[in-house]
Amino acid sequence: MNKKQLISVFRENDYRVTPQRLAICEWVLASEDHPTAEQVFEHVSKEHPALSMTTVYNTLEMLKKIGLLSELGFNMQPARFDPTTSVHINVICQQCGKIRDFKSESIKTQWEKIVSEILADSIGQRLDVYVICDDCKV
Amino acid sequence: MNKKQLISVFRENDYRVTPQRLAICEWVLASEDHPTAEQVFEHVSKEHPALSMTTVYNTLEMLKKIGLLSELGFNMQPARFDPTTSVHINVICQQCGKIRDFKSESIKTQWEKIVSEILADSIGQRLDVYVICDDCKV
DNA sequence: CTCCGTGCAAATGGTTTGCATCTTA
DNA sequence: TAAGATGCAAACCATTTGCACGGAG
């Protein structure tokens, strides 16, 4: 999503356009490694040295409300933020914590089939698979 | 799992048998509503008034190590403990937080099929489905 | 008798909140 | 210029840690 599209989304949802919001959203929505709030801060504060964690959390919360981001909570580890909002699998390395997404029509179809067998109306899901990734296996 | 079986499991894994451990494990392993550490404490401290949260956390950690319990971390909510360790779906009400398990051979088979398509060696999984439960729908 | 487990109290750390200042519309 | 956003500092709270005492083996 580019800057213009982001601005439209902000306006449609009655959020003001600020440089911090733009920078945070541009980076998080393009991220592929499920960053922590801290990592968002580290990266975006390079362009916005006065940035605060408060603004990072506020903005991530805004994206969740708009429906462009989901948050994965863990045990004794900071939350990870995931811009993939449709049905997908989070493949999580138990050793280094890296997460990569697996998304496909086939996964979506098969998952919806499983869910439809047990309930009528699901409003979302979180599918995690634990592995030891190739880098950690060596 | 009854008291005798528990004692065997403790001994096999080099953990000492204490009244607190027995009480906590008996209750958690029989629970069906994915209690929080606090709820475990509330319940077990009725029989063991001197019980501490430290012991609750220690014992839950022990059960995780033995492989009889898994922990579900969330965003801004205490962790929930789940004695169902095989493949199953956690159906979570987004309103009241209640969690119930769905477990079946069919779910297990279908899920393993999905996973085998994308990776060779998974060492575990967490499958959550979000709903608004019947009680909250009214 | 030795070591592990328990319970208290204090520390931890990611996240939230209160508030004064600044910015957007 | 009014309402909302930012940034700082302080609060929060589930969980972990340090340590002295007590109980299991």
Side-chain angles (χ1 to χ4, degrees), chain A residues 34 70-75 77-80 82 84-90 92 94 99 111 115 122-130, chain B residues 71-75 88-92 94 111 125-131:
Chain A
H34 304 68
S70 64
E71 180 175 358
L72 302 177
F74 292 96
N75 314 318
Q77 291 174 60
R80 308 282 289 262
D82 185 349
T84 306
T85 51
S86 54
V87 180
H88 69 282
I89 296 177
N90 306 117
I92 305 175
Q94 288 291 61
I99 306 181
W111 175 253
V115 172
S122 125
I123 56 178
Q125 66 286 314
R126 166 178 177 172
L127 310 179
D128 294 351
V129 170
Y130 308 125
Chain B
E71 180 175 358
L72 302 177
F74 291 96
N75 315 318
H88 69 283
I89 296 177
N90 306 117
V91 179
I92 304 175
Q94 288 291 62
W111 175 253
Q125 65 286 315
R126 166 178 177 172
L127 311 179
D128 294 351
V129 170
Y130 309 124
V131 299

Side-chain angles (χ1 to χ4, degrees), chain A:
Chain A
M1 184 160 341
N2 65 33
K3 209 167 285 195
K4 272 184 190 158
Q5 295 174 304
L6 268 179
I7 293 178
S8 303
V9 172
F10 290 180
R11 296 242 157 88
E12 284 162 22
N13 290 275
D14 291 319
Y15 288 104
R16 293 188 176 175
V17 179
T18 72
Q20 295 93 327
R21 276 191 180 152
L22 276 175
I24 292 168
C25 294
E26 272 190 297
W27 193 72
V28 173
L29 295 180
S31 72
E32 297 192 345
D33 53 352
H34 304 68
T36 63
E38 182 67 29
Q39 289 170 330
V40 176
F41 176 80
E42 297 286 350
H43 192 275
V44 178
S45 59
K46 284 176 190 161
E47 320 159 37
H48 294 270
L51 184 70
S52 68
M53 282 299 291
T54 310
T55 300
V56 173
Y57 280 113
N58 282 344
T59 304
L60 295 174
E61 197 57 35
M62 176 195 78
L63 285 175
K64 280 164 58 184
K65 283 200 182 110
I66 296 178
L68 292 176
L69 194 69
S70 64
E71 180 175 358
L72 302 177
F74 292 96
N75 314 318
M76 280 301 87
Q77 291 174 60
R80 308 282 289 262
F81 294 87
D82 185 349
T84 306
T85 51
S86 54
V87 180
H88 69 282
I89 296 177
N90 306 117
V91 180
I92 305 175
C93 176
Q94 288 291 61
Q95 193 131 351
C96 67
K98 266 204 298 281
I99 306 181
R100 70 191 162 132
D101 279 346
F102 260 100
K103 188 183 164 189
S104 76
E105 266 312 307
S106 159
I107 289 173
K108 185 168 182 290
T109 311
Q110 293 182 72
W111 175 253
E112 282 167 355
K113 180 165 175 294
I114 293 178
V115 172
S116 68
E117 282 175 20
I118 62 172
L119 30 87
D121 36 11
S122 125
I123 56 178
Q125 66 286 314
R126 166 178 177 172
L127 310 179
D128 294 351
V129 170
Y130 308 125
V131 299
I132 303 296
C133 75
D134 291 341
D135 294 347
C136 290
K137 252 181 219 153
V138 181

Side-chain angles (χ1 to χ4, degrees), chain B residues 3 14 49:
Chain B
K3 209 166 284 196
D14 290 320

Side-chain angles (χ1 to χ4, degrees), chain B residues 70-136:
Chain B
S70 63
E71 180 175 358
L72 302 177
F74 291 96
N75 315 318
M76 279 301 86
Q77 291 176 56
R80 308 281 290 261
F81 293 88
D82 184 350
T84 305
T85 51
S86 54
V87 180
H88 69 283
I89 296 177
N90 306 117
V91 179
I92 304 175
C93 176
Q94 288 291 62
Q95 193 131 349
C96 68
K98 265 203 297 281
I99 306 180
R100 69 190 164 135
D101 280 346
F102 259 100
K103 188 184 163 187
S104 75
E105 266 313 307
S106 159
I107 290 173
K108 186 167 181 292
T109 310
Q110 292 182 74
W111 175 253
E112 283 167 355
K113 179 166 176 294
I114 294 178
V115 172
S116 68
E117 282 174 21
I118 62 173
L119 30 86
D121 36 12
S122 125
I123 57 177
Q125 65 286 315
R126 166 178 177 172
L127 311 179
D128 294 351
V129 170
Y130 309 124
V131 299
I132 303 296
C133 75
D134 290 340
D135 294 346
C136 290

Side-chain angles (χ1 to χ4, degrees), chain B residues 38-100:
Chain B
E38 183 66 30
Q39 290 170 329
V40 175
F41 176 80
E42 296 286 349
H43 192 276
V44 179
S45 59
K46 285 176 190 161
E47 320 159 37
H48 295 269
L51 185 69
S52 68
M53 282 299 291
T54 310
T55 300
V56 172
Y57 281 113
N58 282 344
T59 304
L60 296 173
E61 197 58 34
M62 176 195 77
L63 285 174
K64 280 164 60 185
K65 285 201 183 111
I66 296 179
L68 292 176
L69 194 69
S70 63
E71 180 175 358
L72 302 177
F74 291 96
N75 315 318
M76 279 301 86
Q77 291 176 56
R80 308 281 290 261
F81 293 88
D82 184 350
T84 305
T85 51
S86 54
V87 180
H88 69 283
I89 296 177
N90 306 117
V91 179
I92 304 175
C93 176
Q94 288 291 62
Q95 193 131 349
C96 68
K98 265 203 297 281
I99 306 180
R100 69 190 164 135

